[in-house]
Amino acid sequence: MTRCAQIPTQLRRQIMDVAQSFHQFWSLPLQVGVTLWLLYRLVKWAFLAGVVVLMVFLPLNTYVSKRIGQLTQQMMAKKDERVRLCNEALHGIRLLKMQAWEAPMMARICLARSLEIKYLAKRKCVQRSGERSAGLLPCLIVALCWLC
């Protein structure tokens, strides 16, 4: 068996992520530069309109990413609370049954789930708006390049 096969899966994944990040570190600026040069050759100085649109959308994309991260953290906190309640109910199932506490415990679990779903819905809304703006971006760039 090779040494690489003995490395745990998580460590292998981390090594691949680092390798990919390193590759993107040098290749992305090169790709952007070549793309802008080719665009300049095609539409001359009108490509600057597209660059301006990209610069305008960059802060929006940053905001959407940060907001998705915040909402994910809030959602995961609510999920942890719900899982804790479920574990508590499962470990004390005999006591719950003997004391007839199923309904109050179920209400607490359902409340935790509804809060989790609330954050999930907000997160999906923000994510979809970011995807829609990202989908609109190429059309807007092309339109501005050809109008200039």
Side-chain angles (χ1 to χ4, degrees):
M1 184 178 277
T2 63
R3 252 180 94 96
C4 191
Q6 296 171 351
I7 298 174
T9 306
Q10 183 67 26
L11 184 57
R12 234 181 309 173
R13 189 175 302 128
Q14 288 175 348
I15 290 171
M16 291 302 294
D17 287 345
V18 167
Q20 185 178 6
S21 296
F22 177 74
H23 177 65
Q24 288 178 352
F25 180 73
W26 71 267
S27 70
L28 283 177
L30 180 66
Q31 290 175 11
V32 169
V34 169
T35 302
L36 289 177
W37 177 72
L38 289 172
L39 221 96
Y40 170 75
R41 289 188 49 139
L42 186 63
V43 293
K44 299 295 178 207
W45 291 105
F47 86 97
L48 288 177
V51 172
V52 168
V53 170
L54 285 175
M55 293 303 151
V56 167
F57 270 79
L58 192 61
L60 175 69
N61 190 25
T62 303
Y63 169 76
V64 167
S65 298
K66 286 181 181 179
R67 186 70 180 135
I68 287 173
Q70 291 169 352
L71 290 170
T72 300
Q73 285 180 345
Q74 293 169 341
M75 181 188 70
M76 294 308 280
K78 297 301 177 188
K79 181 179 277 194
D80 290 344
E81 174 67 18
R82 180 181 57 85
V83 169
R84 186 189 63 76
L85 285 171
C86 288
N87 283 336
E88 183 181 320
L90 288 174
H91 287 300
I93 192 73
R94 286 186 182 157
L95 182 63
L96 281 173
K97 292 288 187 181
M98 283 191 306
Q99 300 292 331
W101 290 342
E102 296 107 334
M105 188 56 133
M106 185 61 121
R108 288 176 58 194
I109 292 172
C110 287
L111 176 65
R113 178 67 178 155
S114 67
L115 291 174
E116 178 187 346
I117 288 177
K118 181 180 96 172
Y119 285 112
L120 177 64
K122 285 182 182 180
R123 182 183 174 276
K124 287 298 179 184
C125 259
V126 172
Q127 185 177 358
R128 293 292 177 247
S129 67
E131 289 171 358
R132 297 295 179 249
S133 67
L136 177 68
L137 192 60
C139 299
L140 192 57
I141 290 171
V142 168
L144 282 177
C145 283
W146 292 114
L147 287 176
C148 289

